[in-house]
């Protein structure tokens, strides 16, 4: 029994000594790899943090689709370069009506809905759009009258200057664009297409309220265009596409 007791004692002493060595080595490693206090105070950023859109940061506007990482808001359009005279007319005539809302000075004619483009599609989509635009000749658009528009969600109402072209290039261009969008499983443009330059917007469905101003606005627009014939036409030399915060320009032939 004494022998067994000695073995137990030796074994116990050996284990205690081994445990003490392990603890000592562990303490050395911890001390050696200690994280600086300055780094410990940092607040991490969650990679998949959900972005919450606050309409108050955008004049009450609401997103038509949820923001998701890897999705890029995309719009195909014609950029409209106009004179300062037209801007002045829009500002004066709308202020005269005292309509509560926002005047738009970034003039464009939409050729697509606001699309959701996947990041891995961007490169090929841009190249396909470039080839498509090179097949179309430059053309001219004429401004005519003022109309009221409302978005699908009925969250915003717009006043816009209606536009048309003589040879039907706009409709043909839209049809070809719809074919390209279908290849990327993206929605086509609106069936009841009404090409226009938005000049004013307000929150909610205000069509009934704004309709009563149309005769006055159209009459004033026609008078202005008669006196400023150079503002009656938009010369379309290129098509633009905005993807996220990047703008691509594609020249027509």
């Amino acid at each position: 029994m004494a022998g067994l007791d000695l073995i137990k004692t030796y074994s116990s002493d050996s284990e205690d000594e081994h445990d003490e060595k392990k603890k000592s080595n562990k303490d050395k490693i911890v001390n050696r790899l200690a994280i600086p206090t300055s780094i410990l105070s940092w607040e991490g950023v969650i990679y998949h943090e959900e972005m919450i859109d606050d309409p108050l940061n955008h004049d009450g506007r609401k997103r038509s689709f949820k923001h998701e990482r890897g999705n890029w808001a995309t719009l195909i359009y014609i950029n409209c370069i106009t004179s300062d005279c037209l801007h002045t007319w829009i500002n004066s005539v709308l202020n005269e009506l005292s309509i509560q809302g926002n005047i738009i000075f970034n003039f464009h004619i939409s050729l697509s809905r606001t699309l959701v483009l996947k990041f891995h599609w961007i490169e090929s989509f841009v190249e396909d759009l470039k080839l498509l635009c090179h097949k179309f000749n430059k053309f001219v658009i004429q401004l005519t009258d003022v109309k009221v528009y409302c978005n699908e969600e009925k969250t915003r109402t717009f006043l816009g200057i209606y536009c048309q072209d003589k040879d039907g290039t706009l409709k043909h261009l839209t049809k070809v664009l719809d074919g390209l969008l279908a290849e990327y499983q993206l929605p086509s443009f609106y069936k009841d297409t009404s090409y226009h330059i938005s000049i004013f917007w307000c929150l909610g469905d205000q069509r009934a309220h704004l309709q009563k101003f149309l005769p006055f606005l159209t009459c004033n627009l026609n008078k202005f265009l008669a006196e400023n014939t150079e503002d009656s036409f938009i010369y379309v030399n290129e098509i633009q596409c905005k993807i996220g915060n990047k703008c691509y320009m594609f020249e027509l032939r």
Side-chain angles (χ1 to χ4, degrees):
M1 291 295 294
L4 291 175
D5 288 336
L6 286 172
I7 292 173
K8 287 179 181 178
T9 303
Y10 175 79
S11 176
S12 176
D13 290 340
S14 236
E15 288 175 358
D16 290 344
E17 186 179 349
H18 178 68
D19 289 343
E20 285 180 7
K21 286 182 178 180
K22 271 181 81 176
K23 184 178 179 183
S24 175
N25 289 336
K26 187 175 180 181
D27 290 341
K28 287 179 181 179
I29 293 172
V30 170
N31 290 332
R32 191 184 306 159
L33 301 178
I35 300 175
T37 306
S38 58
I39 295 179
L40 288 173
S41 66
W42 291 357
E43 293 184 4
V45 178
I46 302 173
Y47 181 78
H48 294 292
E49 182 179 2
E50 181 180 3
M51 293 187 68
I52 300 174
D53 184 60
D54 187 353
L56 295 177
N57 295 330
H58 311 285
D59 298 322
R61 290 173 292 181
K62 296 180 180 179
R63 293 182 66 93
S64 56
F65 56 88
K66 184 180 179 182
H67 175 88
E68 292 182 11
R69 191 174 297 276
N71 287 348
W72 294 82
T74 301
L75 180 68
I76 304 170
Y77 61 95
I78 296 169
N79 187 43
C80 300
I81 300 174
T82 59
S83 71
D84 292 338
C85 292
L86 183 59
H87 288 255
T88 301
W89 174 83
I90 291 171
N91 192 57
S92 62
V93 75
L94 291 178
N95 284 335
E96 187 178 336
L97 296 178
S98 300
I99 306 174
Q100 192 165 24
N102 300 268
I103 296 175
I104 301 170
F105 290 111
N106 183 20
F107 294 158
H108 70 275
I109 302 171
S110 296
L111 299 177
S112 76
R113 301 169 186 258
T114 300
L115 309 167
V116 182
L117 189 65
K118 298 291 185 182
F119 176 77
H120 58 276
W121 289 346
I122 294 177
E123 187 175 351
S124 62
F125 182 80
V126 168
E127 187 60 30
D128 288 342
L129 188 54
K130 178 181 178 181
L131 294 174
L132 183 154
C133 290
H134 283 175
K135 296 178 181 179
F136 282 83
N137 294 321
K138 299 173 182 178
F139 61 101
V140 181
I141 294 174
Q142 184 174 5
L143 310 188
T144 57
D145 52 354
V146 180
K147 294 188 177 183
V148 174
Y149 301 90
C150 191
N151 63 0
E152 287 184 303
E153 297 81 15
K154 305 295 186 294
T155 57
R156 288 203 289 164
T157 308
F158 301 82
L159 286 173
I161 300 176
Y162 179 70
C163 308
Q164 61 183 9
D165 61 320
K166 292 183 179 180
D167 58 3
T169 301
L170 270 174
K171 286 189 176 180
H172 181 49
L173 176 59
T174 302
K175 184 178 179 180
V176 177
L177 283 173
D178 284 347
L180 173 62
L181 297 177
E183 294 179 16
Y184 288 86
Q185 300 178 348
L186 296 171
S188 60
F189 202 30
Y190 305 103
K191 289 183 179 180
D192 299 326
T193 307
S194 180
Y195 303 101
H196 63 277
I197 300 173
S198 295
I199 60 173
F200 171 87
W201 70 269
C202 57
L203 293 173
D205 186 351
Q206 302 291 335
R207 283 176 291 182
H209 175 63
L210 295 180
Q211 284 282 354
K212 61 185 180 181
F213 298 115
L214 295 187
F216 169 79
L217 291 171
T218 296
C219 180
N220 272 264
L221 175 63
N222 291 335
K223 183 179 178 181
F224 168 80
L225 295 177
E227 297 172 353
N228 302 270
T229 53
E230 69 279 2
D231 285 308
S232 298
F233 304 97
I234 300 293
Y235 296 89
V236 183
N237 300 318
E238 65 183 19
I239 302 299
Q240 296 194 9
C241 178
K242 189 172 183 181
I243 303 176
N245 59 1
K246 189 169 183 179
C247 183
Y248 299 85
M249 292 170 282
F250 309 104
E251 288 189 9
L252 304 180
R253 66 183 184 185

